[in-house]
Amino acid sequence: MADQSAARGPTWTKWLVVAVPYLWLLVFFLAPFVIIVKISLSQTAIAMPPYAPVFDGLATFWDNVRELSLENYVWLTDDPLYWRSYLSSLRIASLSTLMLLLIGYPIAYAMARAPKSIRPTLLMLVILPFWTSFLIRVYAWIGILKPEGLLTVALQGLGVLGPDEQVRIMNTETAVFIGIVYSYLPFMILPLYSALEKLDGTLLEAASDLGCPPVEAFWVITWPLSLPGVIAGCFLCFIPIMGEFVIPDLLGGSETLMIGRTLWNEFFSNRDWPVSSAVAVVLLVILVVPIMVFQNYQKKI
C-alpha cells in the first residue's frame, strides 16, 4: 500500500505540471481566439459592442449561431486592399528577415569568436536597446530621417549634400526597412549567438588540418550547426514584423501597406470589428500554418 501511495503522488504531480501550461494556453490563447473567430463571423451593428449577434444566454444560443456567416471573409477576397496588404506585409517581412540575417549573422559570429572575457559586455551591448521604450526608439528615427533631421545635417557638414539639399527617406518604404532592421536586430543576434557559442572549435581546427579552406569549412561545419539559431531568429523576427503597426505608421508613407496598419484602421477608425477580426484570423492562419508544417517536417527528420 505504501508503494502504491508513493507511486500515485508523483503521477498527480506530473499531471499538475502538465496541466498548468495547457490551462494557461486555454485561458489566454484559445478562449480569446474563439471570441475573435465568433466576432469575425458576425455582422457590423451600430451598438455597443458594434457587432451582432451578441450571445446573451443559452435560450437564444442556437438562434444566434444561425445568424453567423462567412460574409466578412468573402469581403476580404473581394476588396483588393486586404490581399494587397497581406502580400505587401509578406514581402516586407521576408526582405526584412533576410536583411536581419545578413547583418546579424556576422555580428553573432564575431561575438561567439571573441575572447570569453568580453562576451558578456558584447551581449549587454546587444540587449541595451531593450532598456529604452520601443516607441521612443522609433520616434528617434523620425528625428534622424526627416528632411531637416540629423542625417541631412551630418551629410551637409561632410560636404556630401549641398546647403539646400535634403535626404528624402522619411515616409518611404526605405524608412520602414531601416526602422524594422534596427528594432528587431537583437532578436536575430541572440539566438544566432546562442547557437554559434556552442560550436566546437576543434571541428574547424580539424578541417583546417585536413586542408579544408576557411570558406568551405564555414559552409560545411559552421553553417549547418548554426541552423537551429538561424531558424529561431528568422521566426522571432518574421512573425512580429508581419503584424507590425508602429513602425509603418510612424516611418512609412500613405502608400506603405502592411496588414497591421490596415487592421488598426478597421478596428479603431472604421470601428468595423467583424472585418478587423476576420483580418486577424487570416493573419494568424498565415503565420501558424508554416510553423506547423515546419515542426512536422522536423519530427520526420
Side-chain angles (χ1 to χ4, degrees):
M1 295 294 293
D3 294 339
Q4 292 180 355
S5 300
R8 289 175 183 172
T11 301
W12 281 107
T13 304
K14 291 177 182 179
W15 276 106
L16 181 62
V17 171
V18 173
V20 169
Y22 278 102
L23 182 63
W24 179 275
L25 290 174
L26 177 66
V27 174
F28 294 103
F29 174 76
L30 186 59
F33 179 68
V34 170
I35 295 173
I36 292 297
V37 171
K38 183 268 169 187
I39 296 176
S40 71
L41 299 173
S42 304
Q43 292 80 40
T44 305
I46 304 176
M48 182 53 69
Y51 59 85
V54 178
F55 292 163
D56 52 4
L58 294 177
T60 59
F61 178 80
W62 292 111
D63 292 333
N64 291 334
V65 169
R66 294 189 189 95
E67 296 181 29
L68 302 179
S69 69
L70 297 173
E71 181 181 349
N72 296 313
Y73 293 94
V74 175
W75 170 259
L76 296 186
T77 61
D78 293 338
D79 193 334
L81 171 66
Y82 300 104
W83 59 261
R84 284 176 55 205
S85 297
Y86 283 117
L87 292 178
S88 178
S89 296
L90 281 170
R91 178 179 58 83
I92 292 175
S94 300
L95 291 176
S96 299
T97 303
L98 179 60
M99 288 188 286
L100 285 164
L101 180 61
L102 295 176
I103 297 172
Y105 199 101
I107 297 174
Y109 186 85
M111 291 172 57
R113 300 277 77 84
K116 291 186 177 181
S117 59
I118 65 171
R119 288 181 192 177
T121 303
L122 297 175
L123 192 61
M124 185 192 70
L125 292 176
V126 172
I127 302 174
L128 194 61
F130 290 129
W131 296 3
T132 308
S133 169
F134 173 76
L135 190 60
I136 293 176
R137 285 185 280 135
V138 176
Y139 266 110
W141 277 105
I142 297 178
I144 296 172
L145 299 177
K146 64 183 181 180
E148 66 278 6
L150 295 176
L151 183 59
T152 296
V153 173
L155 293 178
Q156 288 176 347
L158 294 173
V160 178
L161 296 179
D164 298 329
E165 294 179 313
Q166 293 179 329
V167 175
R168 301 292 179 179
I169 297 179
M170 190 63 190
N171 296 328
T172 65
E173 205 169 87
T174 302
V176 175
F177 281 117
I178 292 173
I180 288 175
V181 171
Y182 166 78
S183 300
Y184 288 92
L185 189 58
F187 293 101
M188 180 64 75
I189 292 177
L190 293 177
L192 287 172
Y193 170 75
S194 178
L196 291 169
E197 188 186 27
K198 300 174 183 176
L199 181 65
D200 189 356
T202 58
L203 296 175
L204 298 175
E205 294 177 4
S208 178
D209 293 340
L210 293 172
C212 184
V215 175
E216 186 177 350
F218 171 81
W219 289 112
V220 173
I221 299 174
T222 305
W223 176 256
L225 292 177
S226 65
L227 278 179
V230 172
I231 295 170
C234 289
F235 275 136
L236 281 174
C237 294
F238 179 83
I239 292 174
I241 291 173
M242 186 69 186
E244 181 61 55
F245 161 74
V246 174
I247 295 174
D249 189 61
L250 296 180
L251 300 182
S254 58
E255 297 181 358
T256 304
L257 279 178
M258 289 194 74
I259 197 63
R261 194 174 182 181
T262 303
L263 177 61
W264 175 276
N265 290 334
E266 286 293 342
F267 194 86
F268 290 99
S269 299
N270 300 337
R271 290 190 59 79
D272 195 337
W273 287 23
V275 171
S276 59
S277 298
V279 171
V281 171
V282 174
L283 176 61
L284 184 62
V285 171
I286 292 174
L287 295 176
V288 169
V289 169
I291 296 175
M292 295 176 63
V293 171
F294 173 76
Q295 288 179 340
N296 292 331
Y297 173 75
Q298 287 289 97
K299 291 179 181 178
K300 295 178 181 178
I301 298 178

